[in-house]
Amino acid sequence: MIYFVTSNKGKFVEAAAIFGDLVQKDIGYTEIQADTLEEVASFGMNEVAARLKGPVMLEDAGLFVEALQGFPGVYSAYVQKTIGNAGILRLMQGVENRRAYFKSVIAYVDADGEPVMFSGVVHGQIGFEARGSKGFGYDPIFYVGDLSLGEMEITEKNRISHRAKSMTALKGWLASR
Ligand code: IMP
């Protein structure tokens, strides 16, 4: 059993499809303002590990849009809450380069071990419209091939996603110990 500290049900469902024995813990932690997802995850993990004993992981993720110099990046949660997908589509009006990627950084620690981190990236395109209601967050405006992530079933998203990559890396690392 592993605890996954998150308030995001969408993240949890995707992660649970990769790790059978996962328990969601919605206990909150400080998300510092920093330049990288790694710093945010690492700071959060130090706080969480002091409060929760047992194998535990957390994740910090973000959307990085090439034409916007990586925005919203580490500010993805705030931007999603404020201008949302419609705001990103507006910022991208008339922009030809639609390339973007999602990155997931997970931090994991055993009851008494050192924290470890794994990351995963998926490359895609910001679409011209939001499509699909299956995922969460930026999924409806992020396209891989002809489909937005919002149009994909969890099993399809988990074949390609940033989160599936970081979590599969952790799973492999755990299995190899
Ligand atoms: P955080 O990792 O919870 O800080 O997520 C940052 C922001 O990116 C939130 O608004 C999430 O909804 C969004 N986000 C994270 N992962 C995904 C994803 O897989 N698809 C779409 N949006 C995501």
Side-chain angles (χ1 to χ4, degrees), residues 6 8 11 14 31 59-63 73 76-78 80-81 102-103 136-140 149 157 161-163:
T6 181
N8 184 324
K11 280 189 180 186
E14 290 173 20
E31 290 198 33
E59 185 208 35
D60 200 47
L63 172 69
S76 292
Y78 184 73
Q80 177 62 226
K81 266 197 304 245
F102 271 120
K103 182 172 176 182
F136 64 93
Y138 298 100
D139 279 345
L149 293 184
K157 184 176 171 186
S161 85
H162 51 315
R163 178 161 305 106

Coordinates of all heavy atoms in Angstrom, one line a residue, residues 6 8 11 14 31 59-63 73 76-78 80-81 102-103 136-140 149 157 161-163, ligand 1:
T6 N -3.0 13.9 -2.4 CA -3.5 14.8 -3.4 C -5.0 15.0 -3.1 O -5.7 14.2 -2.5 CB -3.4 14.2 -4.8 OG1 -4.0 15.1 -5.8 CG2 -4.1 12.8 -5.0
N8 N -6.7 16.0 -5.8 CA -7.2 15.9 -7.1 C -7.7 14.4 -7.5 O -6.9 13.5 -7.6 CB -6.1 16.3 -8.1 CG -6.6 16.4 -9.5 OD1 -7.3 15.5 -10.0 ND2 -6.0 17.3 -10.2
K11 N -6.3 12.9 -10.8 CA -4.9 12.4 -10.7 C -4.9 11.0 -10.0 O -4.2 10.1 -10.3 CB -4.1 13.3 -9.8 CG -3.5 14.5 -10.4 CD -2.6 15.2 -9.4 CE -2.0 16.4 -10.0 NZ -0.9 17.0 -9.1
E14 N -6.1 8.1 -12.1 CA -5.1 7.7 -13.1 C -4.0 6.9 -12.4 O -3.5 5.9 -12.9 CB -4.5 8.9 -13.8 CG -5.5 9.6 -14.8 CD -5.0 10.9 -15.3 OE1 -3.8 11.1 -15.3 OE2 -5.8 11.7 -15.8
E31 N 2.5 24.4 -1.1 CA 3.1 24.4 -2.5 C 3.8 25.7 -2.6 O 3.2 26.7 -2.8 CB 2.0 24.2 -3.5 CG 1.4 22.8 -3.5 CD 0.6 22.5 -4.8 OE1 1.0 23.0 -5.9 OE2 -0.4 21.8 -4.7
E59 N 2.7 14.5 -6.1 CA 3.0 14.8 -7.5 C 2.8 16.3 -7.7 O 1.9 16.9 -7.2 CB 2.1 14.1 -8.5 CG 2.5 14.4 -9.9 CD 1.3 14.3 -10.9 OE1 0.2 14.6 -10.6 OE2 1.6 13.8 -12.0
D60 N 3.7 16.9 -8.4 CA 3.5 18.3 -8.9 C 3.6 18.2 -10.4 O 4.5 17.6 -11.0 CB 4.5 19.3 -8.4 CG 4.0 20.7 -8.5 OD1 2.8 20.9 -8.1 OD2 4.7 21.6 -8.9
A61 N 2.6 18.8 -11.1 CA 2.5 18.7 -12.6 C 2.3 20.1 -13.1 O 1.9 21.0 -12.4 CB 1.4 17.8 -13.0
G62 N 2.6 20.2 -14.4 CA 2.4 21.5 -15.1 C 2.3 21.4 -16.6 O 2.8 20.4 -17.2
L63 N 1.7 22.4 -17.2 CA 1.6 22.5 -18.6 C 2.6 23.6 -19.1 O 2.6 24.7 -18.6 CB 0.2 22.9 -19.0 CG -0.1 23.2 -20.5 CD1 0.0 22.0 -21.4 CD2 -1.4 23.9 -20.7
G73 N 3.4 26.6 -16.8 CA 4.5 25.9 -16.0 C 4.2 25.7 -14.5 O 3.1 25.1 -14.2
S76 N 0.6 26.5 -13.2 CA -0.5 25.9 -13.9 C -1.8 25.8 -13.0 O -2.9 26.0 -13.6 CB -0.1 24.5 -14.3 OG 0.9 24.5 -15.3
A77 N -1.6 25.5 -11.7 CA -2.8 25.4 -10.9 C -3.5 26.7 -10.8 O -4.8 26.8 -11.0 CB -2.5 24.8 -9.5
Y78 N -2.8 27.8 -10.6 CA -3.3 29.1 -10.4 C -4.0 29.6 -11.7 O -5.1 30.1 -11.7 CB -2.2 30.1 -9.9 CG -2.8 31.5 -9.7 CD1 -3.5 31.7 -8.5 CD2 -2.5 32.5 -10.6 CE1 -4.0 33.0 -8.3 CE2 -3.0 33.8 -10.3 CZ -3.8 34.0 -9.2 OH -4.3 35.3 -9.0
Q80 N -5.1 27.7 -14.1 CA -6.3 26.9 -14.4 C -7.5 27.5 -13.6 O -8.6 27.6 -14.1 CB -6.0 25.4 -14.1 CG -7.2 24.5 -14.2 CD -7.7 24.4 -15.7 OE1 -8.9 24.5 -15.9 NE2 -6.9 24.3 -16.6
K81 N -7.2 27.9 -12.4 CA -8.3 28.4 -11.5 C -8.7 29.8 -11.9 O -9.9 30.2 -11.7 CB -7.7 28.5 -10.0 CG -8.0 27.4 -9.1 CD -7.8 27.7 -7.7 CE -6.5 28.3 -7.4 NZ -5.6 27.6 -6.5
F102 N 3.2 18.4 -21.1 CA 2.9 18.3 -19.7 C 4.1 17.6 -19.0 O 4.7 16.7 -19.6 CB 1.7 17.3 -19.5 CG 0.4 17.9 -19.5 CD1 -0.5 17.5 -20.5 CD2 0.0 18.9 -18.6 CE1 -1.8 18.1 -20.5 CE2 -1.3 19.4 -18.6 CZ -2.2 19.0 -19.6
K103 N 4.4 18.0 -17.8 CA 5.4 17.3 -17.0 C 4.9 17.0 -15.7 O 4.1 17.8 -15.1 CB 6.7 18.2 -16.9 CG 7.8 17.5 -16.1 CD 9.1 18.3 -16.2 CE 10.2 17.7 -15.4 NZ 11.4 18.4 -15.3
F136 N -9.4 16.0 -16.8 CA -9.5 17.2 -15.8 C -8.5 18.3 -16.3 O -7.7 18.1 -17.2 CB -9.3 16.7 -14.4 CG -7.8 16.3 -14.2 CD1 -6.9 17.2 -13.7 CD2 -7.5 15.0 -14.4 CE1 -5.6 16.7 -13.5 CE2 -6.2 14.5 -14.2 CZ -5.2 15.4 -13.7
G137 N -8.6 19.4 -15.7 CA -7.7 20.5 -15.9 C -7.6 20.9 -17.4 O -8.6 21.2 -18.0
Y138 N -6.3 20.8 -17.9 CA -6.1 21.3 -19.2 C -6.3 20.2 -20.3 O -6.1 20.4 -21.5 CB -4.6 21.7 -19.4 CG -4.3 22.9 -18.5 CD1 -3.6 22.8 -17.3 CD2 -4.6 24.2 -18.9 CE1 -3.3 23.8 -16.5 CE2 -4.3 25.3 -18.1 CZ -3.6 25.1 -16.9 OH -3.4 26.2 -16.1
D139 N -6.8 19.0 -19.9 CA -7.0 17.9 -20.8 C -7.7 18.3 -22.1 O -7.3 17.9 -23.2 CB -7.6 16.7 -20.1 CG -6.7 15.9 -19.3 OD1 -5.4 16.0 -19.5 OD2 -7.1 15.1 -18.5
P140 N -8.8 19.0 -22.0 CA -9.6 19.3 -23.2 C -8.9 20.2 -24.2 O -9.3 20.2 -25.4 CB -10.9 20.1 -22.7 CG -10.9 19.7 -21.2 CD -9.5 19.5 -20.8
L149 N -6.7 15.1 -24.7 CA -6.6 14.1 -23.6 C -8.0 14.0 -22.9 O -8.4 13.0 -22.3 CB -5.6 14.6 -22.5 CG -4.1 14.5 -22.9 CD1 -3.3 14.9 -21.7 CD2 -3.7 13.2 -23.4
K157 N -5.2 7.5 -22.0 CA -4.3 8.6 -21.4 C -3.1 7.9 -20.7 O -2.0 8.4 -20.8 CB -5.1 9.5 -20.5 CG -4.3 10.7 -20.0 CD -5.1 11.6 -19.1 CE -4.2 12.6 -18.5 NZ -4.9 13.5 -17.5
S161 N 0.7 9.4 -21.0 CA 0.7 10.6 -20.2 C 2.0 10.8 -19.4 O 2.7 9.8 -19.1 CB -0.5 10.7 -19.3 OG -0.3 10.0 -18.1
H162 N 2.3 12.0 -19.1 CA 3.4 12.4 -18.2 C 3.3 11.7 -16.9 O 4.3 11.1 -16.3 CB 3.3 13.9 -18.0 CG 2.0 14.4 -17.6 ND1 0.8 14.0 -18.2 CD2 1.6 15.3 -16.6 CE1 -0.2 14.6 -17.6 NE2 0.2 15.4 -16.7
R163 N 2.1 11.6 -16.3 CA 1.8 11.0 -15.0 C 2.1 9.5 -15.1 O 2.7 8.9 -14.2 CB 0.4 11.2 -14.6 CG 0.0 10.6 -13.3 CD -1.3 11.3 -12.7 NE -1.0 12.7 -12.6 CZ -1.6 13.6 -13.4 NH1 -2.4 13.3 -14.4 NH2 -1.3 14.9 -13.3
Ligands
IMP1 P1 -0.8 20.3 -9.6 O1 0.2 19.3 -9.9 O2 -2.0 19.8 -8.9 O3 -0.2 21.6 -9.0 O4 -1.5 20.7 -11.0 C1 -1.2 21.9 -11.7 C2 -2.3 22.2 -12.7 O5 -2.2 21.4 -13.8 C3 -3.7 21.9 -12.1 O6 -4.6 22.9 -12.5 C4 -4.1 20.6 -12.8 O7 -5.5 20.5 -13.1 C5 -3.3 20.7 -14.1 N1 -2.9 19.3 -14.5 C6 -2.1 18.5 -13.9 N2 -2.0 17.3 -14.5 C7 -2.9 17.4 -15.5 C8 -3.3 16.5 -16.5 O8 -2.9 15.3 -16.6 N3 -4.1 16.9 -17.4 C9 -4.7 18.2 -17.4 N4 -4.3 19.1 -16.5 C10 -3.4 18.7 -15.6

